[in-house]
């Protein structure tokens, strides 16, 4: 560990007053520093709820003798269709995966549609059919919904919100506060594919080998990881908007531990690597939609890795880093040549509207 | 009862193929006939879920030994602020009330925000503060959320989705299939105030007496109604988008009973009556956001009415009609002079974006 300079804790507790005349910027939707500021300044300080303040992928609520997980996401991806998925599959997998990250077995989804006047109905049908396929794949039902229509020019075809509920099995204990120094950081495969796939079709970029979104349901993979690792699986997070760097940074801040990632161990497909070099993007900050980052007790890490590799969504799973004693909330990347650099939150917007 | 002409059942079972080139119209968001067509053609036929097909205000799911209610609504009201409320209070009360209509005690909400680039942050703060006040009033927590940002011109300031969960007490049995001929139809007060309040500020109309939205949480009122009526409270529905006529029509179709409403008994404030005459609107189709329509066993109707009248949100409660043996799904309005007319769904859009 290097000796880093003292700096304020990155946890979100003290809202900074908003400058007069401030307005929403695209970066507020990035998942990076502006998103966190908005969260702290506007949402956490106003709603002031202890469960919301944990900043997990979903909330955990006691219902009778069960623990219920509740999660929501709105989807504004542009364009609606991209290699490997569309806004419909994304809207189902996104919320299903958030429930999985709470250790829950997803049960049911709600679906709220905001349609722009003029959207072709066959486009809507195609998206809804894709949602249904994704729901069947994930073993959840779409049980309730809502549709609103806004005038032409007040939307962008179609926005979808999904919210989901799931039940956390009694034996599962997954939460940032279970992180321990020494925990291994695992991921189930190569990073950055979703973001680059959406970007490629939006910007009309053609790469030598086409890049396909990793959009997928993690229900089965996570169940196998939990079966293999038991209570040794401490923390789960899907590195969506903001990528692996943001997910690990947020977890480290929330768990008040440090993390060191090993660049060489992080799987990145050649095509994504090439596209990122060309576009000046850092794959560590590019969104994934079928990836899980797990913090696992060192005694169970190999067993969980083996379970991941035995699953179709985990063939390239790897141990990519380790939780350290601190400083709390600091994430370091050990480069291929052995140097260490601090991984920070993005301050602006790298790729707008990729989910 | 008149002898009505035979016509096809209004329940939504058989999706009609979409005409080629068809596109979303504002009327698809009206809650009327176009909304029902969209629901049948696109959503029910694709998701094909028995709980979704009940078309209740929310879904009921068994969780352990509890019954969970799950509901969602997206809010696109324009303008964001109106007399008596704003998009924030509406987003909380709307979903809370939907849970109440399932007979549930609301517990927690998720909140998904779609922000348009350029939205003043103080506007967002004002809306979020209003949500928190409404949540406290309704006794629910906002426990999880999501924020997305779209480019300027791809939204209209701010859209909010809320989803909510609640638990249905063991003794409560509220569902359209519990409707029985002879049930009395009750409402807790004058109709049409929300729709006219939003319209007045949007169109810059000044009425002699200002019309204020009835936007309110029905949690406490419904709890008192259930306490007074017990299992005699058969069906609950909040007559929001599409108004009382649409709500009663949908319930009659779903329960496969008839309903006769007595025009003279339906409370309408003079100001709303006047505004509707001026604007050519029918108050029966104008949205409410703090009203409940209850179908109650005749033996309990007076007790429930009394409980409603003892509540601040039910001072003008009234029995406005009766459930009949049929024909299934037909709703009649007995006019002040005693003639009967069929109440149908609106075919187009009366008031876009009032919720």
């Amino acid at each position: 560990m290097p000796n880093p300079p003292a700096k304020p804790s990155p946890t979100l507790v003290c809202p900074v007053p908003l400058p007069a005349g401030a307005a929403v910027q695209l970066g507020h939707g990035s998942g990076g520093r502006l998103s966190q500021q908005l969260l702290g300044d506007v949402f956490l300080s106003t709603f002031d709820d202890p469960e919301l303040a944990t900043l997990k992928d979903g909330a955990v609520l006691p219902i009778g003798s069960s623990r219920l997980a509740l999660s929501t996401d709105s989807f504004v991806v542009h364009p609606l269709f991209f290699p490997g998925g569309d806004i419909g599959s994304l809207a189902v997998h996104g919320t299903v995966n958030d429930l999985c990250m709470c250790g829950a077995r997803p049960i049911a989804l709600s679906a709220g549609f905001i349609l722009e006047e003029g959207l072709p109905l066959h486009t809507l049908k195609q998206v809804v059919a894709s949602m249904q396929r994704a729901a069947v794949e994930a073993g959840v039902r779409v049980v309730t919904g809502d549709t609103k229509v806004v005038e032409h020019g007040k939307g962008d075809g179609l926005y979808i919100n999904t919210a989901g509920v799931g039940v956390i099995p009694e034996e599962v204990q997954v939460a940032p506060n279970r992180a321990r120094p020494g925990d291994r950081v695992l991921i189930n495969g190569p990073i950055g594919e979703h973001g680059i796939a959406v970007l490629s079709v939006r910007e009309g970029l053609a790469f030598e080998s086409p890049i396909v979104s990793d959009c997928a349901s993690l229900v089965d993979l996570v169940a196998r990881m939990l079966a293999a690792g038991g209570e040794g699986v401490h923390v789960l997070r899907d590195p969506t908007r903001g990528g692996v760097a943001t997910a690990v940074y947020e977890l480290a801040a929330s768990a008040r531990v440090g993390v060191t990632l090993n660049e060489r161990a992080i799987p990145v497909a050649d095509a994504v690597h090439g596209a990122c070099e060309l576009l000046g993007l850092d794959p560590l900050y590019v969104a994934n939609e079928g990836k899980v980052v797990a913090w696992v007790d060192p005694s169970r890490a190999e067993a969980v890795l083996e379970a991941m590799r035995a699953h179709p969504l985990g063939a390239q799973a790897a141990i990519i880093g380790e939780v350290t004693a601190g400083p709390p909330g600091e994430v370091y990347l050990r480069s291929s040549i052995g140097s260490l650099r601090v991984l920070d939150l993005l301050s602006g917007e790298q790729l707008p509207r990729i989910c």
Side-chain angles (χ1 to χ4, degrees), chain A:
Chain A
M1 284 292 310
N3 232 347
K7 71 172 200 180
S9 153
T11 44
L12 297 161
V13 282
C14 175
V16 183
L18 296 169
V24 169
Q25 307 168 33
L26 282 178
H28 283 119
S30 66
R33 191 165 302 285
L34 278 171
S35 294
Q36 290 222 352
Q37 273 173 9
L38 188 70
L39 193 60
D41 294 351
V42 177
F43 297 110
L44 294 184
S45 56
T46 308
F47 289 133
D48 189 24
D49 186 88
E51 192 57 32
L52 184 67
T54 63
L55 300 180
K56 295 194 302 291
D57 287 303
V60 179
L61 305 164
I63 300 285
S65 56
S66 307
R67 282 179 301 160
L68 188 83
L70 171 67
S71 187
T72 193
D73 261 327
S74 294
F75 296 87
V76 300
V77 65
H78 175 72
L80 299 175
F81 300 88
F82 48 82
D86 55 63
I87 191 172
S89 57
L90 197 60
V92 169
H93 291 317
T95 291
V96 158
N97 290 348
D98 279 347
L99 292 171
C100 292
M101 298 307 117
C102 301
R105 293 291 293 191
I107 293 175
L109 297 182
S110 67
F113 296 85
I114 298 176
L115 311 177
E116 186 192 10
E117 187 185 15
L119 175 75
L121 281 175
H122 70 85
T123 303
L124 179 62
K125 279 205 109 164
Q126 218 176 324
V127 167
V128 172
S130 167
M131 288 182 81
Q132 172 64 2
R133 278 194 302 276
V136 168
E137 188 189 323
V140 295
R141 302 160 51 191
V142 178
V143 293
T144 192
D146 174 60
T147 304
K148 294 292 188 312
V149 180
V150 296
E151 303 89 336
H152 181 67
K154 301 295 184 186
D156 196 11
L158 170 60
Y159 299 141
I160 302 178
N161 174 283
T162 50
V165 290
V167 170
I168 303 172
E170 213 171 315
E171 67 280 10
V172 174
Q173 297 292 342
V174 172
N177 65 13
R178 296 203 62 236
R180 294 287 173 273
D183 281 356
R184 301 297 189 262
V185 178
L186 283 70
I187 193 164
N188 61 312
I191 66 170
E193 291 168 352
H194 175 73
I196 299 297
V198 172
L199 190 68
S200 69
V201 53
R202 185 160 71 204
E203 307 298 340
L205 304 172
F207 301 113
E208 224 164 287
S209 26
I211 296 167
V212 173
S213 168
D214 59 341
C215 182
S217 156
L218 297 169
V219 175
D220 192 52
L221 175 73
V222 167
R224 282 161 199 266
M225 290 166 65
L226 289 168
E231 291 196 2
V233 179
H234 291 162
V235 184
L236 297 170
R237 176 72 61 122
D238 54 343
T240 52
R241 182 171 53 170
V244 167
T246 305
V248 172
Y249 182 92
E250 284 176 358
L251 279 182
S254 164
R256 306 197 60 72
V257 295
V259 173
T260 301
L261 298 177
N262 295 311
E263 191 167 29
R264 202 195 299 237
I266 299 171
V268 188
D270 286 345
V272 170
H273 185 79
C276 281
E277 283 218 326
L278 195 71
L279 298 163
L281 298 172
D282 183 339
L284 277 169
Y285 292 90
V286 176
N288 312 276
E289 289 291 344
K291 292 296 175 291
V292 50
V293 170
W295 294 7
V296 182
D297 190 274
S299 69
R300 307 304 302 158
E302 284 299 329
V304 173
L305 184 66
E306 208 175 300
M308 291 165 92
R309 287 193 172 152
H311 192 277
L313 295 180
Q316 295 180 67
I319 295 179
I320 60 169
E322 193 173 325
V323 177
T324 66
E330 299 243 320
V331 181
Y332 291 89
L333 183 73
R334 189 182 306 276
S335 78
S336 310
I337 58 163
S339 69
L340 273 182
R341 69 173 170 103
V342 174
L343 277 191
D344 203 351
L345 284 176
L346 281 188
S347 55
E349 173 60 290
Q350 189 171 244
L351 294 174
R353 292 182 60 188
I354 42 73
C355 62

